[in-house]
PDB file of all heavy atoms in Angstrom:
ATOM      1  N   GLN A  98    -119.243 109.967  84.642  1.00 48.00           N
ATOM      2  CA  GLN A  98    -119.978 108.868  85.233  1.00 48.00           C
ATOM      3  C   GLN A  98    -119.487 108.522  86.628  1.00 48.00           C
ATOM      4  O   GLN A  98    -120.249 108.301  87.554  1.00 48.00           O
ATOM      5  CB  GLN A  98    -119.899 107.643  84.332  1.00 48.00           C
ATOM      6  CG  GLN A  98    -120.666 107.796  83.028  1.00 48.00           C
ATOM      7  CD  GLN A  98    -120.447 106.626  82.089  1.00 48.00           C
ATOM      8  OE1 GLN A  98    -119.565 105.805  82.301  1.00 48.00           O
ATOM      9  NE2 GLN A  98    -121.247 106.572  81.021  1.00 48.00           N
ATOM     10  N   THR A  99    -118.187 108.504  86.768  1.00 45.00           N
ATOM     11  CA  THR A  99    -117.629 108.167  88.072  1.00 45.00           C
ATOM     12  C   THR A  99    -117.772 109.310  89.050  1.00 45.00           C
ATOM     13  O   THR A  99    -117.772 109.114  90.267  1.00 45.00           O
ATOM     14  CB  THR A  99    -116.158 107.771  87.955  1.00 45.00           C
ATOM     15  OG1 THR A  99    -115.460 108.742  87.247  1.00 45.00           O
ATOM     16  CG2 THR A  99    -115.967 106.501  87.307  1.00 45.00           C
ATOM     17  N   SER A 100    -117.876 110.513  88.511  1.00 43.00           N
ATOM     18  CA  SER A 100    -118.042 111.648  89.403  1.00 43.00           C
ATOM     19  C   SER A 100    -119.434 111.707  89.989  1.00 43.00           C
ATOM     20  O   SER A 100    -119.654 112.230  91.078  1.00 43.00           O
ATOM     21  CB  SER A 100    -117.777 112.960  88.657  1.00 43.00           C
ATOM     22  OG  SER A 100    -116.616 113.043  88.131  1.00 43.00           O
ATOM     23  N   ALA A 101    -120.452 111.207  89.236  1.00 44.00           N
ATOM     24  CA  ALA A 101    -121.819 111.253  89.705  1.00 44.00           C
ATOM     25  C   ALA A 101    -122.043 110.178  90.752  1.00 44.00           C
ATOM     26  O   ALA A 101    -122.753 109.203  90.543  1.00 44.00           O
ATOM     27  CB  ALA A 101    -122.771 111.065  88.532  1.00 44.00           C
ATOM     28  N   VAL A 102    -121.426 110.348  91.845  1.00 53.00           N
ATOM     29  CA  VAL A 102    -121.521 109.400  92.934  1.00 53.00           C
ATOM     30  C   VAL A 102    -122.853 109.588  93.649  1.00 53.00           C
ATOM     31  O   VAL A 102    -123.302 110.707  93.889  1.00 53.00           O
ATOM     32  CB  VAL A 102    -120.360 109.586  93.916  1.00 53.00           C
ATOM     33  CG1 VAL A 102    -120.457 108.592  95.058  1.00 53.00           C
ATOM     34  CG2 VAL A 102    -119.045 109.456  93.202  1.00 53.00           C
ATOM     35  N   ALA A 103    -123.504 108.463  93.941  1.00 60.00           N
ATOM     36  CA  ALA A 103    -124.776 108.544  94.651  1.00 60.00           C
ATOM     37  C   ALA A 103    -124.608 109.242  95.981  1.00 60.00           C
ATOM     38  O   ALA A 103    -123.666 108.963  96.719  1.00 60.00           O
ATOM     39  CB  ALA A 103    -125.340 107.139  94.854  1.00 60.00           C
ATOM     40  N   GLY A 104    -125.505 110.160  96.277  1.00 62.00           N
ATOM     41  CA  GLY A 104    -125.433 110.840  97.547  1.00 62.00           C
ATOM     42  C   GLY A 104    -126.185 110.081  98.625  1.00 62.00           C
ATOM     43  O   GLY A 104    -126.774 109.024  98.391  1.00 62.00           O
ATOM     44  N   LYS A 105    -126.214 110.636  99.815  1.00 68.00           N
ATOM     45  CA  LYS A 105    -126.941 110.042 100.924  1.00 68.00           C
ATOM     46  C   LYS A 105    -128.433 110.362 100.773  1.00 68.00           C
ATOM     47  O   LYS A 105    -128.798 111.451 100.389  1.00 68.00           O
ATOM     48  CB  LYS A 105    -126.403 110.569 102.244  1.00 68.00           C
ATOM     49  CG  LYS A 105    -124.969 110.177 102.527  1.00 68.00           C
ATOM     50  CD  LYS A 105    -124.517 110.740 103.855  1.00 68.00           C
ATOM     51  CE  LYS A 105    -123.079 110.328 104.149  1.00 68.00           C
ATOM     52  NZ  LYS A 105    -122.613 110.895 105.437  1.00 68.00           N
ATOM     53  N   GLY A 106    -129.274 109.441 101.122  1.00 76.00           N
ATOM     54  CA  GLY A 106    -130.704 109.655 101.039  1.00 76.00           C
ATOM     55  C   GLY A 106    -131.336 108.940  99.856  1.00 76.00           C
ATOM     56  O   GLY A 106    -130.678 108.227  99.089  1.00 76.00           O
ATOM     57  N   LYS A 107    -132.641 109.178  99.663  1.00 84.00           N
ATOM     58  CA  LYS A 107    -133.412 108.528  98.619  1.00 84.00           C
ATOM     59  C   LYS A 107    -133.308 109.299  97.322  1.00 84.00           C
ATOM     60  O   LYS A 107    -133.372 110.519  97.284  1.00 84.00           O
ATOM     61  CB  LYS A 107    -134.868 108.422  99.050  1.00 84.00           C
ATOM     62  CG  LYS A 107    -135.759 107.695  98.077  1.00 84.00           C
ATOM     63  CD  LYS A 107    -137.196 107.633  98.602  1.00 84.00           C
ATOM     64  CE  LYS A 107    -138.120 106.926  97.625  1.00 84.00           C
ATOM     65  NZ  LYS A 107    -139.536 106.859  98.118  1.00 84.00           N
ATOM     66  N   LEU A 108    -133.157 108.549  96.223  1.00 87.00           N
ATOM     67  CA  LEU A 108    -133.049 109.170  94.912  1.00 87.00           C
ATOM     68  C   LEU A 108    -134.422 109.652  94.443  1.00 87.00           C
ATOM     69  O   LEU A 108    -135.393 108.880  94.423  1.00 87.00           O
ATOM     70  CB  LEU A 108    -132.467 108.186  93.902  1.00 87.00           C
ATOM     71  CG  LEU A 108    -132.458 108.651  92.446  1.00 87.00           C
ATOM     72  CD1 LEU A 108    -131.562 109.879  92.274  1.00 87.00           C
ATOM     73  CD2 LEU A 108    -131.994 107.514  91.525  1.00 87.00           C
ATOM     74  N   THR A 109    -134.528 110.921  94.042  1.00 87.00           N
ATOM     75  CA  THR A 109    -135.718 111.478  93.414  1.00 87.00           C
ATOM     76  C   THR A 109    -135.282 112.234  92.167  1.00 87.00           C
ATOM     77  O   THR A 109    -134.092 112.447  91.938  1.00 87.00           O
ATOM     78  CB  THR A 109    -136.473 112.424  94.363  1.00 87.00           C
ATOM     79  OG1 THR A 109    -135.614 113.520  94.733  1.00 87.00           O
ATOM     80  CG2 THR A 109    -136.925 111.701  95.631  1.00 87.00           C
ATOM     81  N   TYR A 110    -136.255 112.646  91.386  1.00 88.00           N
ATOM     82  CA  TYR A 110    -135.947 113.376  90.156  1.00 88.00           C
ATOM     83  C   TYR A 110    -136.702 114.707  90.155  1.00 88.00           C
ATOM     84  O   TYR A 110    -137.860 114.779  90.583  1.00 88.00           O
ATOM     85  CB  TYR A 110    -136.328 112.570  88.919  1.00 88.00           C
ATOM     86  CG  TYR A 110    -135.435 111.354  88.692  1.00 88.00           C
ATOM     87  CD1 TYR A 110    -135.779 110.125  89.249  1.00 88.00           C
ATOM     88  CD2 TYR A 110    -134.271 111.461  87.952  1.00 88.00           C
ATOM     89  CE1 TYR A 110    -134.976 109.020  89.062  1.00 88.00           C
ATOM     90  CE2 TYR A 110    -133.466 110.345  87.756  1.00 88.00           C
ATOM     91  CZ  TYR A 110    -133.809 109.139  88.304  1.00 88.00           C
ATOM     92  OH  TYR A 110    -132.991 108.051  88.118  1.00 88.00           O
ATOM     93  N   TYR A 111    -136.025 115.751  89.675  1.00 89.00           N
ATOM     94  CA  TYR A 111    -136.649 117.070  89.581  1.00 89.00           C
ATOM     95  C   TYR A 111    -136.637 117.477  88.114  1.00 89.00           C
ATOM     96  O   TYR A 111    -135.586 117.482  87.462  1.00 89.00           O
ATOM     97  CB  TYR A 111    -135.889 118.093  90.416  1.00 89.00           C
ATOM     98  CG  TYR A 111    -136.438 119.484  90.294  1.00 89.00           C
ATOM     99  CD1 TYR A 111    -137.521 119.895  91.073  1.00 89.00           C
ATOM    100  CD2 TYR A 111    -135.889 120.382  89.384  1.00 89.00           C
ATOM    101  CE1 TYR A 111    -138.050 121.193  90.941  1.00 89.00           C
ATOM    102  CE2 TYR A 111    -136.392 121.663  89.252  1.00 89.00           C
ATOM    103  CZ  TYR A 111    -137.467 122.065  90.029  1.00 89.00           C
ATOM    104  OH  TYR A 111    -137.985 123.357  89.884  1.00 89.00           O
ATOM    105  N   LYS A 112    -137.852 117.797  87.591  1.00 90.00           N
ATOM    106  CA  LYS A 112    -137.971 118.253  86.217  1.00 90.00           C
ATOM    107  C   LYS A 112    -137.766 119.762  86.166  1.00 90.00           C
ATOM    108  O   LYS A 112    -138.457 120.513  86.839  1.00 90.00           O
ATOM    109  CB  LYS A 112    -139.325 117.877  85.637  1.00 90.00           C
ATOM    110  CG  LYS A 112    -139.447 118.160  84.154  1.00 90.00           C
ATOM    111  CD  LYS A 112    -140.767 117.642  83.599  1.00 90.00           C
ATOM    112  CE  LYS A 112    -140.862 117.875  82.105  1.00 90.00           C
ATOM    113  NZ  LYS A 112    -142.135 117.361  81.543  1.00 90.00           N
ATOM    114  N   ILE A 113    -136.809 120.201  85.361  1.00 89.00           N
ATOM    115  CA  ILE A 113    -136.452 121.618  85.279  1.00 89.00           C
ATOM    116  C   ILE A 113    -137.564 122.390  84.569  1.00 89.00           C
ATOM    117  O   ILE A 113    -138.016 122.004  83.484  1.00 89.00           O
ATOM    118  CB  ILE A 113    -135.115 121.793  84.533  1.00 89.00           C
ATOM    119  CG1 ILE A 113    -134.009 120.992  85.223  1.00 89.00           C
ATOM    120  CG2 ILE A 113    -134.741 123.268  84.436  1.00 89.00           C
ATOM    121  CD1 ILE A 113    -132.702 120.965  84.439  1.00 89.00           C
ATOM    122  N   LYS A 114    -137.972 123.488  85.207  1.00 89.00           N
ATOM    123  CA  LYS A 114    -139.000 124.355  84.644  1.00 89.00           C
ATOM    124  C   LYS A 114    -138.360 125.578  84.039  1.00 89.00           C
ATOM    125  O   LYS A 114    -137.227 125.929  84.322  1.00 89.00           O
ATOM    126  CB  LYS A 114    -139.998 124.763  85.733  1.00 89.00           C
ATOM    127  CG  LYS A 114    -140.677 123.593  86.445  1.00 89.00           C
ATOM    128  CD  LYS A 114    -141.619 124.121  87.520  1.00 89.00           C
ATOM    129  CE  LYS A 114    -142.344 123.019  88.251  1.00 89.00           C
ATOM    130  NZ  LYS A 114    -141.427 122.092  88.970  1.00 89.00           N
ATOM    131  N   SER A 115    -139.138 126.219  83.178  1.00 86.00           N
ATOM    132  CA  SER A 115    -138.664 127.453  82.567  1.00 86.00           C
ATOM    133  C   SER A 115    -138.411 128.507  83.641  1.00 86.00           C
ATOM    134  O   SER A 115    -139.247 128.699  84.524  1.00 86.00           O
ATOM    135  CB  SER A 115    -139.681 127.959  81.544  1.00 86.00           C
ATOM    136  OG  SER A 115    -139.259 129.169  80.950  1.00 86.00           O
ATOM    137  N   GLY A 116    -137.250 129.135  83.615  1.00 84.00           N
ATOM    138  CA  GLY A 116    -136.888 130.154  84.582  1.00 84.00           C
ATOM    139  C   GLY A 116    -136.073 129.617  85.749  1.00 84.00           C
ATOM    140  O   GLY A 116    -135.578 130.389  86.570  1.00 84.00           O
ATOM    141  N   ASP A 117    -135.981 128.282  85.875  1.00 88.00           N
ATOM    142  CA  ASP A 117    -135.179 127.686  86.953  1.00 88.00           C
ATOM    143  C   ASP A 117    -133.681 127.950  86.746  1.00 88.00           C
ATOM    144  O   ASP A 117    -133.194 128.029  85.601  1.00 88.00           O
ATOM    145  CB  ASP A 117    -135.403 126.176  87.030  1.00 88.00           C
ATOM    146  CG  ASP A 117    -136.658 125.794  87.787  1.00 88.00           C
ATOM    147  OD1 ASP A 117    -137.188 126.664  88.490  1.00 88.00           O
ATOM    148  OD2 ASP A 117    -137.074 124.611  87.681  1.00 88.00           O
ATOM    149  N   THR A 118    -133.013 128.082  87.857  1.00 88.00           N
ATOM    150  CA  THR A 118    -131.552 128.081  87.875  1.00 88.00           C
ATOM    151  C   THR A 118    -131.105 127.040  88.894  1.00 88.00           C
ATOM    152  O   THR A 118    -131.892 126.614  89.740  1.00 88.00           O
ATOM    153  CB  THR A 118    -130.975 129.450  88.245  1.00 88.00           C
ATOM    154  OG1 THR A 118    -131.349 129.774  89.611  1.00 88.00           O
ATOM    155  CG2 THR A 118    -131.476 130.533  87.289  1.00 88.00           C
ATOM    156  N   LEU A 119    -129.855 126.654  88.819  1.00 87.00           N
ATOM    157  CA  LEU A 119    -129.371 125.694  89.808  1.00 87.00           C
ATOM    158  C   LEU A 119    -129.475 126.247  91.211  1.00 87.00           C
ATOM    159  O   LEU A 119    -129.787 125.521  92.161  1.00 87.00           O
ATOM    160  CB  LEU A 119    -127.896 125.306  89.508  1.00 87.00           C
ATOM    161  CG  LEU A 119    -127.687 124.218  88.467  1.00 87.00           C
ATOM    162  CD1 LEU A 119    -126.201 123.820  88.426  1.00 87.00           C
ATOM    163  CD2 LEU A 119    -128.515 122.973  88.746  1.00 87.00           C
ATOM    164  N   SER A 120    -129.233 127.557  91.336  1.00 86.00           N
ATOM    165  CA  SER A 120    -129.314 128.177  92.662  1.00 86.00           C
ATOM    166  C   SER A 120    -130.723 128.111  93.206  1.00 86.00           C
ATOM    167  O   SER A 120    -130.960 127.788  94.376  1.00 86.00           O
ATOM    168  CB  SER A 120    -128.830 129.623  92.606  1.00 86.00           C
ATOM    169  OG  SER A 120    -127.474 129.703  92.243  1.00 86.00           O
ATOM    170  N   SER A 121    -131.708 128.430  92.344  1.00 88.00           N
ATOM    171  CA  SER A 121    -133.098 128.430  92.812  1.00 88.00           C
ATOM    172  C   SER A 121    -133.565 127.013  93.112  1.00 88.00           C
ATOM    173  O   SER A 121    -134.310 126.782  94.071  1.00 88.00           O
ATOM    174  CB  SER A 121    -134.012 129.084  91.778  1.00 88.00           C
ATOM    175  OG  SER A 121    -134.046 128.332  90.569  1.00 88.00           O
ATOM    176  N   ILE A 122    -133.125 126.032  92.286  1.00 90.00           N
ATOM    177  CA  ILE A 122    -133.491 124.636  92.540  1.00 90.00           C
ATOM    178  C   ILE A 122    -132.895 124.156  93.855  1.00 90.00           C
ATOM    179  O   ILE A 122    -133.562 123.508  94.665  1.00 90.00           O
ATOM    180  CB  ILE A 122    -133.037 123.739  91.374  1.00 90.00           C
ATOM    181  CG1 ILE A 122    -133.782 124.113  90.087  1.00 90.00           C
ATOM    182  CG2 ILE A 122    -133.263 122.268  91.702  1.00 90.00           C
ATOM    183  CD1 ILE A 122    -133.243 123.434  88.849  1.00 90.00           C
ATOM    184  N   ALA A 123    -131.601 124.481  94.083  1.00 87.00           N
ATOM    185  CA  ALA A 123    -130.932 124.067  95.300  1.00 87.00           C
ATOM    186  C   ALA A 123    -131.619 124.649  96.524  1.00 87.00           C
ATOM    187  O   ALA A 123    -131.828 123.955  97.534  1.00 87.00           O
ATOM    188  CB  ALA A 123    -129.455 124.496  95.252  1.00 87.00           C
ATOM    189  N   GLU A 124    -131.998 125.936  96.448  1.00 86.00           N
ATOM    190  CA  GLU A 124    -132.661 126.588  97.578  1.00 86.00           C
ATOM    191  C   GLU A 124    -134.027 125.968  97.819  1.00 86.00           C
ATOM    192  O   GLU A 124    -134.417 125.742  98.967  1.00 86.00           O
ATOM    193  CB  GLU A 124    -132.779 128.071  97.305  1.00 86.00           C
ATOM    194  CG  GLU A 124    -133.367 128.862  98.484  1.00 86.00           C
ATOM    195  CD  GLU A 124    -133.401 130.359  98.209  1.00 86.00           C
ATOM    196  OE1 GLU A 124    -132.949 130.785  97.116  1.00 86.00           O
ATOM    197  OE2 GLU A 124    -133.873 131.099  99.084  1.00 86.00           O
ATOM    198  N   LYS A 125    -134.764 125.678  96.727  1.00 86.00           N
ATOM    199  CA  LYS A 125    -136.088 125.096  96.844  1.00 86.00           C
ATOM    200  C   LYS A 125    -136.043 123.710  97.473  1.00 86.00           C
ATOM    201  O   LYS A 125    -136.878 123.356  98.301  1.00 86.00           O
ATOM    202  CB  LYS A 125    -136.743 125.023  95.472  1.00 86.00           C
ATOM    203  CG  LYS A 125    -138.185 124.530  95.457  1.00 86.00           C
ATOM    204  CD  LYS A 125    -138.697 124.328  94.045  1.00 86.00           C
ATOM    205  CE  LYS A 125    -138.643 125.609  93.276  1.00 86.00           C
ATOM    206  NZ  LYS A 125    -139.182 125.438  91.867  1.00 86.00           N
ATOM    207  N   LEU A 126    -135.029 122.920  97.121  1.00 87.00           N
ATOM    208  CA  LEU A 126    -134.956 121.536  97.584  1.00 87.00           C
ATOM    209  C   LEU A 126    -134.110 121.360  98.839  1.00 87.00           C
ATOM    210  O   LEU A 126    -134.057 120.256  99.395  1.00 87.00           O
ATOM    211  CB  LEU A 126    -134.416 120.630  96.469  1.00 87.00           C
ATOM    212  CG  LEU A 126    -135.245 120.607  95.179  1.00 87.00           C
ATOM    213  CD1 LEU A 126    -134.564 119.741  94.124  1.00 87.00           C
ATOM    214  CD2 LEU A 126    -136.660 120.081  95.467  1.00 87.00           C
ATOM    215  N   GLY A 127    -133.429 122.426  99.293  1.00 85.00           N
ATOM    216  CA  GLY A 127    -132.628 122.356 100.501  1.00 85.00           C
ATOM    217  C   GLY A 127    -131.317 121.589 100.326  1.00 85.00           C
ATOM    218  O   GLY A 127    -130.873 120.898 101.241  1.00 85.00           O
ATOM    219  N   VAL A 128    -130.716 121.681  99.164  1.00 88.00           N
ATOM    220  CA  VAL A 128    -129.415 121.044  98.899  1.00 88.00           C
ATOM    221  C   VAL A 128    -128.448 122.093  98.373  1.00 88.00           C
ATOM    222  O   VAL A 128    -128.816 123.250  98.161  1.00 88.00           O
ATOM    223  CB  VAL A 128    -129.559 119.886  97.883  1.00 88.00           C
ATOM    224  CG1 VAL A 128    -130.455 118.790  98.451  1.00 88.00           C
ATOM    225  CG2 VAL A 128    -130.114 120.402  96.559  1.00 88.00           C
ATOM    226  N   ARG A 129    -127.215 121.670  98.100  1.00 89.00           N
ATOM    227  CA  ARG A 129    -126.216 122.603  97.616  1.00 89.00           C
ATOM    228  C   ARG A 129    -126.040 122.481  96.100  1.00 89.00           C
ATOM    229  O   ARG A 129    -126.250 121.398  95.523  1.00 89.00           O
ATOM    230  CB  ARG A 129    -124.873 122.348  98.291  1.00 89.00           C
ATOM    231  CG  ARG A 129    -124.886 122.568  99.799  1.00 89.00           C
ATOM    232  CD  ARG A 129    -123.522 122.255 100.414  1.00 89.00           C
ATOM    233  NE  ARG A 129    -123.096 120.885 100.144  1.00 89.00           N
ATOM    234  CZ  ARG A 129    -121.896 120.393 100.509  1.00 89.00           C
ATOM    235  NH1 ARG A 129    -121.034 121.169 101.166  1.00 89.00           N
ATOM    236  NH2 ARG A 129    -121.584 119.149 100.216  1.00 89.00           N
ATOM    237  N   VAL A 130    -125.670 123.591  95.478  1.00 88.00           N
ATOM    238  CA  VAL A 130    -125.460 123.611  94.025  1.00 88.00           C
ATOM    239  C   VAL A 130    -124.410 122.575  93.612  1.00 88.00           C
ATOM    240  O   VAL A 130    -124.585 121.833  92.650  1.00 88.00           O
ATOM    241  CB  VAL A 130    -125.053 125.017  93.554  1.00 88.00           C
ATOM    242  CG1 VAL A 130    -124.617 124.990  92.097  1.00 88.00           C
ATOM    243  CG2 VAL A 130    -126.207 126.005  93.743  1.00 88.00           C
ATOM    244  N   LYS A 131    -123.283 122.494  94.370  1.00 87.00           N
ATOM    245  CA  LYS A 131    -122.217 121.569  93.987  1.00 87.00           C
ATOM    246  C   LYS A 131    -122.628 120.110  94.132  1.00 87.00           C
ATOM    247  O   LYS A 131    -122.128 119.241  93.414  1.00 87.00           O
ATOM    248  CB  LYS A 131    -120.939 121.847  94.778  1.00 87.00           C
ATOM    249  CG  LYS A 131    -121.020 121.573  96.252  1.00 87.00           C
ATOM    250  CD  LYS A 131    -119.653 121.877  96.899  1.00 87.00           C
ATOM    251  CE  LYS A 131    -119.652 121.543  98.372  1.00 87.00           C
ATOM    252  NZ  LYS A 131    -118.310 121.820  98.998  1.00 87.00           N
ATOM    253  N   ASP A 132    -123.603 119.865  95.070  1.00 88.00           N
ATOM    254  CA  ASP A 132    -124.112 118.499  95.187  1.00 88.00           C
ATOM    255  C   ASP A 132    -124.890 118.115  93.933  1.00 88.00           C
ATOM    256  O   ASP A 132    -124.744 117.003  93.416  1.00 88.00           O
ATOM    257  CB  ASP A 132    -124.997 118.374  96.418  1.00 88.00           C
ATOM    258  CG  ASP A 132    -124.214 118.441  97.713  1.00 88.00           C
ATOM    259  OD1 ASP A 132    -123.007 118.080  97.697  1.00 88.00           O
ATOM    260  OD2 ASP A 132    -124.790 118.844  98.742  1.00 88.00           O
ATOM    261  N   ILE A 133    -125.751 119.045  93.459  1.00 88.00           N
ATOM    262  CA  ILE A 133    -126.512 118.778  92.238  1.00 88.00           C
ATOM    263  C   ILE A 133    -125.564 118.517  91.064  1.00 88.00           C
ATOM    264  O   ILE A 133    -125.766 117.603  90.260  1.00 88.00           O
ATOM    265  CB  ILE A 133    -127.472 119.947  91.933  1.00 88.00           C
ATOM    266  CG1 ILE A 133    -128.503 120.130  93.067  1.00 88.00           C
ATOM    267  CG2 ILE A 133    -128.190 119.722  90.600  1.00 88.00           C
ATOM    268  CD1 ILE A 133    -129.422 121.336  92.878  1.00 88.00           C
ATOM    269  N   GLN A 134    -124.526 119.327  90.978  1.00 88.00           N
ATOM    270  CA  GLN A 134    -123.563 119.158  89.915  1.00 88.00           C
ATOM    271  C   GLN A 134    -122.871 117.781  90.000  1.00 88.00           C
ATOM    272  O   GLN A 134    -122.693 117.095  88.998  1.00 88.00           O
ATOM    273  CB  GLN A 134    -122.517 120.282  89.963  1.00 88.00           C
ATOM    274  CG  GLN A 134    -123.069 121.652  89.571  1.00 88.00           C
ATOM    275  CD  GLN A 134    -122.000 122.728  89.697  1.00 88.00           C
ATOM    276  OE1 GLN A 134    -121.413 122.900  90.774  1.00 88.00           O
ATOM    277  NE2 GLN A 134    -121.756 123.435  88.618  1.00 88.00           N
ATOM    278  N   GLN A 135    -122.476 117.384  91.225  1.00 88.00           N
ATOM    279  CA  GLN A 135    -121.805 116.104  91.404  1.00 88.00           C
ATOM    280  C   GLN A 135    -122.721 114.943  91.070  1.00 88.00           C
ATOM    281  O   GLN A 135    -122.331 114.001  90.392  1.00 88.00           O
ATOM    282  CB  GLN A 135    -121.281 115.966  92.834  1.00 88.00           C
ATOM    283  CG  GLN A 135    -120.514 114.668  93.094  1.00 88.00           C
ATOM    284  CD  GLN A 135    -120.041 114.542  94.513  1.00 88.00           C
ATOM    285  OE1 GLN A 135    -120.464 115.308  95.382  1.00 88.00           O
ATOM    286  NE2 GLN A 135    -119.165 113.583  94.779  1.00 88.00           N
ATOM    287  N   TRP A 136    -123.967 115.006  91.558  1.00 88.00           N
ATOM    288  CA  TRP A 136    -124.908 113.914  91.317  1.00 88.00           C
ATOM    289  C   TRP A 136    -125.185 113.727  89.832  1.00 88.00           C
ATOM    290  O   TRP A 136    -125.481 112.617  89.400  1.00 88.00           O
ATOM    291  CB  TRP A 136    -126.227 114.184  92.069  1.00 88.00           C
ATOM    292  CG  TRP A 136    -126.076 114.208  93.575  1.00 88.00           C
ATOM    293  CD1 TRP A 136    -125.155 113.564  94.306  1.00 88.00           C
ATOM    294  CD2 TRP A 136    -126.884 114.937  94.473  1.00 88.00           C
ATOM    295  NE1 TRP A 136    -125.322 113.820  95.640  1.00 88.00           N
ATOM    296  CE2 TRP A 136    -126.397 114.684  95.790  1.00 88.00           C
ATOM    297  CE3 TRP A 136    -127.996 115.806  94.358  1.00 88.00           C
ATOM    298  CZ2 TRP A 136    -126.964 115.252  96.923  1.00 88.00           C
ATOM    299  CZ3 TRP A 136    -128.570 116.354  95.504  1.00 88.00           C
ATOM    300  CH2 TRP A 136    -128.032 116.077  96.772  1.00 88.00           C
ATOM    301  N   ASN A 137    -125.093 114.799  89.068  1.00 87.00           N
ATOM    302  CA  ASN A 137    -125.473 114.751  87.671  1.00 87.00           C
ATOM    303  C   ASN A 137    -124.295 114.885  86.702  1.00 87.00           C
ATOM    304  O   ASN A 137    -124.483 115.014  85.492  1.00 87.00           O
ATOM    305  CB  ASN A 137    -126.515 115.836  87.366  1.00 87.00           C
ATOM    306  CG  ASN A 137    -127.830 115.591  88.095  1.00 87.00           C
ATOM    307  OD1 ASN A 137    -128.713 114.868  87.606  1.00 87.00           O
ATOM    308  ND2 ASN A 137    -127.984 116.190  89.273  1.00 87.00           N
ATOM    309  N   GLY A 138    -123.107 114.846  87.235  1.00 86.00           N
ATOM    310  CA  GLY A 138    -121.933 114.904  86.380  1.00 86.00           C
ATOM    311  C   GLY A 138    -121.812 116.181  85.588  1.00 86.00           C
ATOM    312  O   GLY A 138    -121.401 116.170  84.426  1.00 86.00           O
TER     313      GLY A 138
END
């Protein structure tokens, strides 16, 4: 919980689709894999 520190910018939600990976999601949204991990604990 404490690790999931709010990042900079507006909070949005991404629904995971079949076949998605963190790498593909990060590339699609223009963020880093470790940021996604941090935001979501």
Side-chain angles (χ1 to χ4, degrees):
Q98 291 174 348
T99 51
S100 302
V102 180
K105 295 180 179 179
K107 183 180 179 180
L108 173 64
T109 61
Y110 290 90
Y111 177 84
K112 188 174 182 179
I113 303 172
K114 303 179 179 61
S115 179
D117 278 345
T118 65
L119 277 188
S120 297
S121 65
I122 296 171
E124 184 177 359
K125 184 187 300 181
L126 300 177
V128 297
R129 297 178 302 176
V130 171
K131 67 179 183 179
D132 289 333
I133 298 176
Q134 290 178 304
Q135 182 181 12
W136 296 333
N137 294 273

